[in-house]
């Protein structure tokens, strides 16, 4: 009984719905800051969209299928609108880091194709977030039980563990992409469930693993740029070598994060 009281005071269905509304409100504040603090606000806005999606997955039993689909479309619209700015900033920093790490001369640094994307229209972002807030209002998330929320959390863990096993057997980019999303879900959900056994350690590992998988994805995207995809370019070898080292690190960390079988993970969280 003690575990049930502790959990209820930490995250009830009503609290979960309130968290979702708060994220929408903070995202609207991020939009207001885009004009003055574009890089920071864009990053924060994208992170909030990822957290919203992770928490919506916890609330799935209180959301109709079509409503969930519409919510995901609004979230994706906001993320995609900000993606160009985020990707260009990340690629520039990554190129600088690789050049320093592998001592590449300035003459070997190619230019990225295309122009710097303009900030997304604030009116478009506000509309998407307002519509998302109305959809959250229309749900029955507040009626969710502790068991329903926890079961969705365990399901996220199971999916991530299964994808980790697939990633060990293959370096398929789609598998890594899907695994990275499940790791992010686990991270954000665990932040909302801090009273579960081992939560603090799980947060640290999931955050680090998500960073490593994200870095690998950034490298994969950079390798597709015309200026970096030529086989005789030193960048082709540099990117391949760096991704190989990252793979060793994220697989090792993945085994630590997903060490318990999903049944034992559930038992530990209920202990």
């Amino acid at each position: 009984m003690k575990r049930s009281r502790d959990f209820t005071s930490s995250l009830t269905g009503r609290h979960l719905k309130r968290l979702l509304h708060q994220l929408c409100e903070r995202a609207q504040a991020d939009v207001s800051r885009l004009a003055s603090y574009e890089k920071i606000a864009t990053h924060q806005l994208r992170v909030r969209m990822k957290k919203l999606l992770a928490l919506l997955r916890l609330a799935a039993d209180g959301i109709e299928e079509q409503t969930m689909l519409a919510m995901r479309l609004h979230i994706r619209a906001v993320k995609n609108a900000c993606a160009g700015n985020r990707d260009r900033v990340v690629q520039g920093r990554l190129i600088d880091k690789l050049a320093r790490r592998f001592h590449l001369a300035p003459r070997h640094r190619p230019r990225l194709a295309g122009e710097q994307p303009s900030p997304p229209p604030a009116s478009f972002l506000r509309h998407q977030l307002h519509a998302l807030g109305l959809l959250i209002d229309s749900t029955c998330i507040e009626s969710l039980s502790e068991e329903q929320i926890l079961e969705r959390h365990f399901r996220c863990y199971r999916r991530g563990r299964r994808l980790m096993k697939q990633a060990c057997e293959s370096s398929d980019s789609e598998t890594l992409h899907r695994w990275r999303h499940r790791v992010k879900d686990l991270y954000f959900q665990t932040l909302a469930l801090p009273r579960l056994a081992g939560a603090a350690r799980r947060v640290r590992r999931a955050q680090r693993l998500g960073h490593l998988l994200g870095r690998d994805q950034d490298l994969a995207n950079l390798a597709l740029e015309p200026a970096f995809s030529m086989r005789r370019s030193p960048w082709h070898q540099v990117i391949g070598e760096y991704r190989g080292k990252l793979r060793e690190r994220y697989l090792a960390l993945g085994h630590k994060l997903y060490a318990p079988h999903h049944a034992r993970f559930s038992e530990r969280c209920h202990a």
Side-chain angles (χ1 to χ4, degrees):
M1 293 297 295
K2 184 176 185 298
R3 179 200 62 81
S4 178
R5 288 197 300 271
D6 283 350
F7 178 81
T8 301
S9 66
S10 176
L11 187 66
T12 62
R14 188 179 301 277
H15 185 197
L16 180 55
K17 192 168 188 176
R18 187 162 63 248
L19 281 177
L20 291 166
H21 275 305
Q22 288 174 353
L23 284 168
C24 282
E25 292 170 2
R26 290 169 184 170
Q28 291 281 16
D30 293 331
V31 173
S32 300
R33 288 193 291 268
L34 277 174
S36 303
Y37 306 99
E38 182 184 344
K39 293 180 182 179
I40 296 174
T42 298
H43 172 72
Q44 290 178 335
L45 186 56
R46 284 175 57 83
V47 169
R48 292 197 209 284
M49 293 303 100
K50 294 174 185 177
K51 189 169 187 177
L52 267 166
L53 193 53
L55 295 188
L56 283 172
R57 290 194 170 101
L58 282 182
D61 288 336
I63 306 173
E64 293 185 359
E65 184 178 349
Q66 291 302 315
T67 302
M68 177 67 90
L69 177 60
M71 289 175 166
R72 294 180 66 176
L73 289 175
H74 287 303
I75 291 173
R76 187 179 300 132
V78 174
K79 287 176 61 180
N80 289 346
C82 299
N85 297 58
R86 179 266 180 196
D87 290 345
R88 185 54 63 107
V89 171
V90 168
Q91 284 183 338
R93 290 176 179 171
L94 186 55
I95 292 169
D96 290 339
K97 181 175 181 177
L98 290 173
R100 290 193 302 269
R101 178 166 182 161
F102 292 93
H103 308 291
L104 294 177
R107 69 177 182 276
H108 291 305
R109 174 172 176 148
R111 292 182 176 274
L112 292 169
E115 298 179 355
Q116 178 74 17
S118 57
S123 59
F124 171 80
L125 297 175
R126 290 195 180 97
H127 168 74
Q128 299 297 327
L129 292 170
H130 178 70
L132 179 60
L134 292 178
L135 287 172
I136 293 172
D137 270 335
S138 71
T139 67
C140 300
I141 295 173
E142 67 275 8
S143 66
L144 290 174
S145 68
E146 167 189 346
E147 288 73 20
Q148 288 174 300
I149 294 173
L150 273 178
E151 178 53 39
R152 287 289 173 174
H153 182 55
F154 300 151
R155 187 177 301 184
C156 170
Y157 181 88
R158 289 195 296 269
R159 288 176 177 171
R161 194 172 190 273
R162 186 163 57 245
L163 286 166
M164 180 201 67
K165 290 183 177 181
Q166 294 176 16
C168 289
E169 299 171 357
S170 168
S171 57
D172 173 62
S173 58
E174 179 59 27
T175 298
L176 291 174
H177 179 72
R178 290 166 57 205
W179 183 27
R180 180 167 61 92
H181 283 299
R182 299 295 76 78
V183 170
K184 287 289 186 182
D185 284 346
L186 185 65
Y187 169 64
F188 288 124
Q189 290 175 9
T190 307
L191 284 176
L193 297 164
R195 293 174 183 263
L196 295 184
R201 181 175 63 252
R202 199 152 50 249
V203 163
R204 291 193 300 270
R205 288 176 173 172
Q207 183 180 36
R208 182 59 182 161
L209 180 56
H211 173 76
L212 293 176
L213 289 170
R215 177 52 54 86
D216 181 78
Q217 180 66 45
D218 292 335
L219 286 163
N221 292 338
L222 185 63
L224 296 176
E225 290 282 339
F228 295 85
S229 60
M230 296 181 293
R231 290 192 174 276
R232 293 187 178 182
S233 166
W235 289 94
H236 181 79
Q237 180 179 351
V238 162
I239 292 174
E241 182 180 339
Y242 194 18
R243 290 191 70 190
K245 293 179 179 178
L246 277 176
R247 180 172 174 79
E248 295 176 6
R249 294 169 63 191
Y250 64 65
L251 288 180
L253 186 54
H255 277 93
K256 290 182 180 179
L257 177 62
Y258 293 99
H261 185 272
H262 61 80
R264 293 201 305 274
F265 173 73
S266 176
E267 292 172 1
R268 287 184 183 183
C269 289
H270 281 94

